[in-house]
């Protein structure tokens, strides 16, 4: 299973929304009719500026439509039928809500890393996401730059945020702090199936140091994302503020509801 992670971004290697694009290629090669569509994580809370910070897939099969998504670290594992209502997979229950004729909202399970995201059914091409993906991969305001993230569904979901490992189940979550670089390397390799050789000769060390600096910042100012929304600072221009809103609600927190270790 390919893990969800942003390690290339942490190492200064910008990427695109490659998870869903890659999944779409695999599904098409297997004969499925697939459309890549535009999403907006946390649009419900922060408005239309969130459009384009996510993607999803719509599959047409035997007269029915399904939604698939490889771009949420603790997202649903199997495609969801595109119909309103609750959908249960394992110990987690999700909900789809139809907003307009071609706009839908995915509601995550309570306590997940995001509350919801919206998606609209007009087909898009991977090239349509390049500019926004580059922005999310490189901007110092982007949560993908400011927070090391890895996730893997296994007995619930396991999530790595900087130097903290969280385990999510339907009953709640538990967490532990990684103590040293050897444990960090083992966690990446064994818990998240990251091929360490792909990180480069000093990749693990660089990631360990960055994760430590991020953890220190979180300890200085631990706050929940859901308590905050974009605000205009006195020394910013409208363009600065619009850029911040496109990236996410606040520096270092972005589309995740609560990325404090």
């Amino acid at each position: 299973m390919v893990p969800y992670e942003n390690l290339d971004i942490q190492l200064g290697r910008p990427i695109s929304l490659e998870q869903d694009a890659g999944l779409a290629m695999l599904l098409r090669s297997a004969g499925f009719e697939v459309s890549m569509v535009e999403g907006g994580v946390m649009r419900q809370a922060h408005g239309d500026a969130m459009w384009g910070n996510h993607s999803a897939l719509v599959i047409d099969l035997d007269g029915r439509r399904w939604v698939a998504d490889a771009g949420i670290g603790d997202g649903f594992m199997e495609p969801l039928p595109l119909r309103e209502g609750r959908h249960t997979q394992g110990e987690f229950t999700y909900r789809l809500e139809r907003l307009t004729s071609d706009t839908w909202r995915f509601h995550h399970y309570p306590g997940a890393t995001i509350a919801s995201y919206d998606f609209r059914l007009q087909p898009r091409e991977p090239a349509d996401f390049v500019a926004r993906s580059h922005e999310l991969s490189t901007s110092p305001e982007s949560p993908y730059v400011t927070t090391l993230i890895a996730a893997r569904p296994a007995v619930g979901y396991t999530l790595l945020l900087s130097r903290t490992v969280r385990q999510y189940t339907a009953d709640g979550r538990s967490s532990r702090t990684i103590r040293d670089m050897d444990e960090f390397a083992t966690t990446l390799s064994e818990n998240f199936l990251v091929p360490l050789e792909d990180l480069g000769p000093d990749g693990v060390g660089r990631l360990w140091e960055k994760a430590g600096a991020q953890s220190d910042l979180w300890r200085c100012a631990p706050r929940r994302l859901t308590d905050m929304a974009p605000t205009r600072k006195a020394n910013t221009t409208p363009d600065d503020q619009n850029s911040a809103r496109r990236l996410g609600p606040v520096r270092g927190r972005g589309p995740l509801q609560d990325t404090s270790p």
Side-chain angles (χ1 to χ4, degrees):
M1 180 181 295
V2 177
Y4 173 96
E5 40 83 5
N6 68 343
L7 303 184
D8 278 326
I9 294 175
Q10 293 293 305
L11 292 170
R13 308 167 185 167
I15 62 172
S16 184
L17 296 177
E18 58 186 19
Q19 294 96 338
D20 280 330
L23 179 58
M25 291 177 62
L26 289 173
L27 290 172
R28 287 171 182 146
S29 68
F32 291 96
E33 185 179 343
V34 182
S35 297
M36 194 171 183
V37 299
E38 182 182 25
V41 172
M42 293 181 64
R43 176 175 174 260
Q44 181 178 15
H46 300 294
D48 286 347
M50 298 296 101
W51 280 123
N53 68 10
H54 189 59
S55 64
L57 304 179
V58 175
I59 301 101
D60 291 277
L61 178 64
D62 296 332
R64 299 180 64 188
R65 308 191 87 181
W66 301 76
V67 182
D69 191 349
I72 296 291
D74 60 349
F76 49 94
M77 287 291 293
E78 300 175 3
L80 300 178
L82 187 59
R83 66 169 185 264
E84 286 196 286
R86 299 183 182 277
H87 305 273
T88 298
Q89 293 184 5
E91 57 185 328
F92 297 111
T93 297
Y94 315 97
R95 183 166 64 91
L96 287 176
E97 176 187 4
R98 190 168 194 164
L99 303 179
T100 69
S101 60
D102 66 347
T103 304
W104 290 72
R105 176 165 294 152
F106 165 76
H107 295 270
H108 219 328
Y109 63 86
T113 54
I114 64 168
S116 68
Y117 71 80
D118 295 354
F119 60 98
R120 40 195 175 191
L121 301 182
Q122 180 181 359
R124 305 292 294 270
E125 296 296 329
D128 296 331
F129 298 93
V130 169
R132 187 64 178 278
S133 295
H134 182 78
E135 184 179 24
L136 290 167
S137 294
T138 59
S139 171
E141 298 295 321
S142 169
Y144 301 107
V145 173
T146 60
T147 305
L148 185 150
I149 305 166
R152 180 189 173 204
V155 191
Y157 289 93
T158 305
L159 178 68
L160 174 65
L161 295 169
S162 301
R163 291 184 178 181
T164 299
V165 179
R166 289 182 180 174
Q167 182 71 40
Y168 291 84
T169 68
D171 297 326
R173 82 180 190 200
S174 59
S175 64
R176 64 178 175 87
T177 300
I178 299 176
R179 296 164 296 180
D180 54 45
M181 191 167 73
D182 287 341
E183 183 184 357
F184 181 68
T186 299
T187 298
L188 289 176
S189 178
E190 296 184 1
N191 291 72
F192 297 98
L193 307 181
V194 173
L196 300 183
E197 61 274 13
D198 288 355
L199 301 178
D202 60 345
V204 172
R206 290 169 60 195
L207 291 173
W208 173 248
E209 292 302 319
K210 292 197 73 169
Q214 294 165 7
S215 294
D216 289 343
L217 286 174
W218 276 111
R219 280 192 292 269
C220 291
R223 297 178 65 190
R224 284 188 60 83
L225 173 63
T226 48
D227 295 334
M228 301 182 232
T231 56
R232 172 107 182 252
K233 296 181 181 180
N235 60 347
T236 60
T237 67
D239 287 343
D240 292 334
Q241 186 64 15
N242 289 337
S243 177
R245 283 177 173 154
R246 286 197 306 273
L247 289 166
V250 290
R251 180 183 176 90
R253 291 148 176 92
L256 296 178
Q257 270 190 293
D258 178 10
T259 54
S260 55

